[in-house]
Amino acid sequence: MIDEKWLSDNDPVCSNRRGFLRGVAAVTAGGALGVSIPLQGADIVAGASAQEAATPLPEYVKWKNPDSMIVHSDQTLETRRAYTGSVITPEEQLYVRNNIKAPDDSFIADRDGWKLEITGVKSPTVLSVAELKTMGLTTVAMVLQCSGNGRAYFQEKLKGTDKAIKGTSWALGAAGCVAWTGVPLKTVIEAVGGASPGAKFITGTGGEKIPAGLNPKDIIVERSVPISNLDTVLLAWELNGKPISLAHGGPLRMIVPGYAGVNNVKYVAKLSLTDTETDAKIQKTRYRVHDMGTEGSADVPSVWAMDVKSWVTSPLSDGKAGRVTVAGVAFGGMNAVQEVEISTDGGKNWHKADFVGPDLGRFAWRQFALSTELEPGSYTLVSRATDATGKTQPEEPELNAGGYSHNGWLAPGVKISLA
Amino acid sequence: MIDEKWLSDNDPVCSNRRGFLRGVAAVTAGGALGVSIPLQGADIVAGASAQEAATPLPEYVKWKNPDSMIVHSDQTLETRRAYTGSVITPEEQLYVRNNIKAPDDSFIADRDGWKLEITGVKSPTVLSVAELKTMGLTTVAMVLQCSGNGRAYFQEKLKGTDKAIKGTSWALGAAGCVAWTGVPLKTVIEAVGGASPGAKFITGTGGEKIPAGLNPKDIIVERSVPISNLDTVLLAWELNGKPISLAHGGPLRMIVPGYAGVNNVKYVAKLSLTDTETDAKIQKTRYRVHDMGTEGSADVPSVWAMDVKSWVTSPLSDGKAGRVTVAGVAFGGMNAVQEVEISTDGGKNWHKADFVGPDLGRFAWRQFALSTELEPGSYTLVSRATDATGKTQPEEPELNAGGYSHNGWLAPGVKISLA
């Protein structure tokens, strides 16, 4: 009766609550099998077993570079670690995570004709993308990262215990740094008379069709973020200089710079300034940070602003002793990243790395590098970033039931040998 | 006997000197026919006649987006104006201009194994790309622009006179802003003991095979730039986060930020610090700025650092009166761009535009935009940029025999009607 492919097959809370859907448990278990040792060399990243590597790309993302992707499922594709080091992530290497099965091509058949309903403002209205394009233009470079990026490290930690975290075993590659082009939401809101009195949240609603027989509130992708983001939110039609692909939310996506992926609503069809957060399940109980053994609720924090984070992207495999350049990427969520340290001995000794390449603004990641002489031997390469507010990545983050927001520096270490 | 496809078929000096090569004159004339009125609406840019638009992509660049490219010839492909507005130009939309027919795929079969000979230093040596990768890492975002970009406007100006400029009729799209990743040349030079005494130039040599029977000096792509660029030159293996394609100079390219395209030597096989400029024809007489009716020589300026320039990228076609956002890109060559003004009446009245989007550094272009209310009527949209040293684009640049370095603001104007 219900096509379960409409639903994400490996969201942790989703799979807890929707255990009645055929296949969910099996797929979740399959994902977990892909986790390997967090301290790994080469690009055998957690979640990237040989079996997964061989999974072909789903049809709607056939244009991705297959070498760069780990296919966890049709709706969850991770970027291989070796492909996460560039200042801008090419779209064909960008991770994919859809809460609902991606819509068909009819969504992008007439991009300029796509309609956005705007409410919670003085003069509620409906604007086409063509109209939005006349109103203003800007570009924001920012890290797009799935809330569950790093979950594999939490799962690894729980191996052999009686606890487990369900959900896609993302290691590091459910993240990329991309440039979105569109109109500032603030400009649009001003053009429609400003916010209604009392508005506290920006609520975006995805335009995906909800299958009959399901409670829309359980399925709909509708997210609210604090209205304090009004100065930075974007209604975007381009990703890295091209019309946004269907897989990444084209023709129109709500972009909330500095916020975790789920808040950046794809196929955005409705934008409301609201007094309260939406009561859609994806906001009310899912994507909440709460203790193991408890349920998500409005009383615990939503997965909103991202934490400071970094990882090494090169080298990832054994090589020659001598001069070695250790490089990676670092970001601070809402804040610029201020400093990155690198250790080659798993965190005993630290050395300040240089930022290299362009600074694309506080929401983007920065590349860092440190060139050093290394004797033959074994090394564990780790990086540790500090943001502009002084927050530093923890060695290990606290466990949470959904396995969200992992930003520890120890687990993503890279073990290599130099001869 | 000689395969003329080895040679560029529409370089102005090249076609003067090599008139004996079958087909050259015909192709050059064909290019010139494609020039339309410089003040144009829509994306009917100069050089983009319907006939050219229909030319299929050559095999080695089949992966380009055909909608975004004007195929002037197998070795000269221009980006359509509407596709030049993003902060980073996607590689599949980037213009192509090869002086010599692009090599075959054997050049990129073993990227890390590609060898670079380094001379003019204390310890001359040969380094592989794999070795270069251990030495350091950085990324530079910069405008890559063909020396002849804008030549169509010079050619248009000479219509109906007894003068003519040969060569590809590039309008605005022989330019893009891209991110190169590689090792700073300075780091490499330091590792091999530093420059030989008296070195005044950085000379890069392309690795293309020279067909038997031709004088290598006439054909070889070997360019010298002042050694003052040592702090910014890069030996790059990545373009926009991916290994550099064959069409764009992979596996290794010498990148000279702020300098015109020809100086960025593709397939770089030799890097020398030299006392004098190379006497290869591409340096000695070609790519020189000299008066109509004179020959290129070492006594006139080489096409090196680029001039301040800008153009409107949107709107390019007729539309509705009311709110309109005029947007474009602007750059300053070696200097950051400081200000951009926009006129909607062909330069009678000017209004300051806002820079929007990330600032990728002084060698990159910046996006600008100005939202305004326009009544029904006809408009001529032009932009005029000023760089950090105070240099402003001229209304019309001086003619030169090669049609190089056009940076006038008048000719690229966009005529539109709003109803």
Side-chain angles (χ1 to χ4, degrees):
Chain A
M1 177 184 73
I2 298 162
D3 176 5
E4 73 270 26
K5 293 212 165 172
W6 274 97
L7 301 172
S8 169
D9 52 14
N10 43 24
D11 177 82
V13 182
C14 180
S15 54
N16 280 341
R17 301 291 180 91
R18 298 198 192 108
F20 65 92
L21 290 172
R22 180 172 51 84
V24 168
V27 174
T28 307
L33 286 175
V35 182
S36 67
I37 304 162
L39 291 172
Q40 70 274 326
D43 62 347
I44 308 161
V45 292
S49 70
Q51 188 199 339
E52 283 178 317
T55 308
L57 293 170
E59 197 57 37
Y60 75 110
V61 287
K62 268 275 185 279
W63 49 271
K64 296 257 170 193
N65 173 4
D67 296 340
S68 69
M69 308 305 295
I70 303 160
V71 182
H72 292 293
S73 78
D74 268 13
Q75 291 167 227
T76 49
L77 291 86
E78 178 169 353
T79 307
R80 287 186 191 280
R81 185 168 184 161
Y83 291 80
T84 60
S86 57
V87 67
I88 288 284
T89 307
E91 194 181 5
E92 59 267 48
Q93 299 173 195
L94 183 63
Y95 83 98
V96 176
R97 195 272 186 264
N98 273 345
N99 268 280
I100 305 186
K101 186 183 171 187
D104 63 52
D105 283 348
S106 67
F107 271 50
I108 51 170
D110 174 19
R111 289 175 174 274
D112 279 355
W114 180 265
K115 296 285 197 305
L116 177 71
E117 184 188 353
I118 303 179
T119 62
V121 294
K122 294 259 166 60
S123 308
T125 188
V126 174
L127 293 170
S128 67
V129 168
E131 288 168 311
L132 291 171
K133 285 181 178 176
T134 67
M135 300 175 81
L137 185 84
T138 195
T139 296
V140 174
M142 63 161 230
V143 174
L144 184 74
Q145 178 183 230
C146 183
S147 314
N149 197 31
R151 184 182 292 127
Y153 303 120
F154 285 129
Q155 292 169 328
E156 179 66 24
K157 179 98 183 160
L158 294 176
K159 258 193 182 169
T161 74
D162 59 351
K163 291 178 188 160
I165 294 173
K166 290 179 181 170
T168 303
S169 299
W170 305 110
L172 294 167
C177 187
V178 290
W180 301 100
T181 297
V183 60
L185 178 59
K186 195 178 184 182
T187 302
V188 178
I189 297 299
E190 282 167 4
V192 293
S196 293
K200 294 195 184 71
F201 297 93
I202 301 163
T203 299
T205 311
E208 298 99 326
K209 290 181 191 71
I210 306 296
L214 292 177
N215 181 354
K217 289 281 177 202
D218 289 352
I219 310 299
I220 200 164
V221 178
E222 185 169 88
R223 289 284 300 180
S224 301
V225 299
I227 202 163
S228 57
N229 293 284
L230 189 56
D231 283 347
T232 53
V233 170
L234 208 67
L235 294 167
W237 48 80
E238 271 188 18
L239 194 175
N240 290 354
K242 292 180 289 186
I244 304 172
S245 64
L246 198 67
H248 292 296
L252 192 68
R253 187 163 181 178
M254 178 174 94
I255 299 299
V256 188
Y259 272 47
V262 69
N263 301 288
N264 299 272
V265 176
K266 295 170 177 162
Y267 329 110
V268 63
K270 190 173 171 185
L271 192 297
S272 309
L273 301 185
T274 52
D275 300 352
T276 56
E277 294 181 45
T278 169
D279 60 354
K281 188 176 270 186
I282 198 171
Q283 177 95 10
K284 201 172 174 185
T285 56
R286 294 173 61 200
Y287 293 95
R288 296 275 173 177
V289 181
H290 54 96
D291 291 341
M292 301 286 294
T294 68
E295 296 290 313
S297 79
D299 301 329
V300 294
S302 210
V303 179
W304 276 341
M306 296 185 289
D307 295 314
V308 61
K309 189 164 175 176
S310 72
W311 59 87
V312 169
T313 59
S314 174
L316 298 177
S317 52
D318 296 344
K320 279 191 214 163
R323 184 155 173 131
V324 172
T325 296
V326 181
V329 290
F331 58 99
M334 299 295 283
N335 308 297
V337 67
Q338 182 136 305
E339 185 178 277
V340 176
E341 300 159 289
I342 286 174
S343 169
T344 59
D345 56 11
K348 290 190 192 77
N349 297 283
W350 294 94
H351 313 274
K352 198 176 162 185
D354 293 320
F355 287 119
V356 296
D359 177 353
L360 274 58
R362 68 178 168 123
F363 301 117
W365 67 30
R366 291 215 62 179
Q367 297 168 291
F368 62 83
L370 179 68
S371 297
T372 183
E373 294 285 330
L374 294 177
E375 311 262 296
S378 292
Y379 296 90
T380 300
L381 311 175
V382 288
S383 66
R384 184 172 69 180
T386 300
D387 74 15
T389 70
K391 272 189 205 144
T392 298
Q393 285 181 258
E395 182 168 344
E396 281 191 86
E398 279 183 46
L399 268 174
N400 65 83
Y404 292 124
S405 308
H406 190 290
N407 74 330
W409 58 256
L410 180 64
V414 179
K415 277 195 166 161
I416 58 164
S417 289
L418 301 179
Chain B
M1 178 186 72
I2 297 161
D3 176 4
E4 73 271 27
K5 292 215 167 171
W6 273 98
L7 301 172
S8 170
D9 52 13
N10 42 24
D11 178 82
V13 182
C14 181
S15 52
N16 281 340
R17 302 290 179 92
R18 296 196 194 110
F20 65 93
L21 289 173
R22 182 170 51 84
V24 167
V27 173
T28 307
L33 286 175
V35 182
S36 67
I37 305 162
L39 290 173
Q40 71 273 326
D43 62 346
I44 307 161
V45 291
S49 70
Q51 190 200 338
E52 283 179 317
T55 308
L57 293 169
E59 197 57 38
Y60 75 110
V61 286
K62 269 275 185 277
W63 49 271
K64 296 256 171 194
N65 173 5
D67 296 339
S68 69
M69 308 303 296
I70 302 160
V71 182
H72 292 293
S73 78
D74 269 13
Q75 291 166 229
T76 49
L77 291 88
E78 178 169 353
T79 307
R80 286 185 191 282
R81 185 168 183 162
Y83 291 79
T84 61
S86 57
V87 68
I88 288 284
T89 307
E91 194 181 4
E92 59 266 48
Q93 299 173 194
L94 183 63
Y95 83 98
V96 176
R97 195 271 184 262
N98 273 345
N99 268 281
I100 306 186
K101 186 184 170 186
D104 63 51
D105 282 348
S106 67
F107 271 49
I108 50 169
D110 175 18
R111 289 175 174 274
D112 279 355
W114 180 265
K115 296 286 198 301
L116 176 72
E117 184 187 354
I118 303 178
T119 62
V121 294
K122 293 260 165 59
S123 309
T125 186
V126 175
L127 293 171
S128 66
V129 168
E131 287 168 312
L132 290 172
K133 285 181 177 175
T134 67
M135 299 175 82
L137 185 85
T138 195
T139 296
V140 173
M142 63 161 229
V143 174
L144 184 74
Q145 179 183 229
C146 183
S147 313
N149 196 33
R151 184 181 292 127
Y153 303 121
F154 285 129
Q155 292 169 329
E156 179 65 23
K157 178 98 184 159
L158 294 175
K159 259 192 181 169
T161 75
D162 59 350
K163 291 178 189 162
I165 294 172
K166 290 180 182 170
T168 304
S169 299
W170 304 111
L172 294 167
C177 187
V178 290
W180 301 101
T181 299
V183 60
L185 178 60
K186 195 178 186 184
T187 302
V188 178
I189 297 299
E190 282 167 3
V192 293
S196 293
K200 292 194 185 70
F201 297 93
I202 301 164
T203 299
T205 312
E208 298 99 326
K209 289 180 192 72
I210 307 296
L214 293 178
N215 181 354
K217 290 281 178 201
D218 289 351
I219 311 299
I220 199 163
V221 179
E222 186 168 86
R223 288 285 299 180
S224 301
V225 299
I227 203 163
S228 57
N229 293 285
L230 189 55
D231 282 347
T232 54
V233 171
L234 208 67
L235 294 166
W237 50 79
E238 271 187 18
L239 193 177
N240 290 354
K242 293 179 289 186
I244 304 173
S245 64
L246 197 66
H248 292 296
L252 192 68
R253 186 163 182 178
M254 178 173 94
I255 298 301
V256 188
Y259 272 47
V262 69
N263 301 288
N264 299 271
V265 177
K266 294 169 177 164
Y267 329 110
V268 62
K270 191 173 170 185
L271 192 296
S272 308
L273 300 186
T274 53
D275 300 352
T276 56
E277 294 182 44
T278 169
D279 60 354
K281 188 175 271 185
I282 198 170
Q283 178 94 10
K284 202 173 174 185
T285 56
R286 295 173 59 200
Y287 293 96
R288 296 275 173 178
V289 181
H290 54 97
D291 291 341
M292 300 288 294
T294 67
E295 296 289 313
S297 78
D299 300 329
V300 294
S302 210
V303 179
W304 276 341
M306 296 185 289
D307 295 315
V308 61
K309 190 165 176 176
S310 71
W311 59 86
V312 169
T313 59
S314 173
L316 298 177
S317 52
D318 296 344
K320 279 191 213 161
R323 186 158 171 131
V324 173
T325 296
V326 181
V329 291
F331 59 99
M334 299 294 283
N335 309 296
V337 67
Q338 181 135 305
E339 186 178 277
V340 176
E341 298 158 290
I342 287 174
S343 169
T344 59
D345 55 11
K348 291 191 193 77
N349 296 283
W350 294 94
H351 312 274
K352 198 176 162 188
D354 293 321
F355 287 120
V356 296
D359 177 353
L360 275 58
R362 67 178 168 124
F363 302 116
W365 67 30
R366 291 214 63 179
Q367 297 168 292
F368 62 83
L370 178 67
S371 297
T372 183
E373 294 286 328
L374 294 178
E375 310 263 297
S378 292
Y379 296 90
T380 299
L381 310 176
V382 289
S383 66
R384 183 172 71 180
T386 300
D387 74 13
T389 70
K391 271 188 206 146
T392 298
Q393 286 181 259
E395 182 169 342
E396 280 191 86
E398 280 183 46
L399 270 174
N400 66 85
Y404 293 123
S405 308
H406 191 291
N407 74 331
W409 58 255
L410 180 64
V414 180
K415 277 196 167 162
I416 58 165
S417 289
L418 302 180

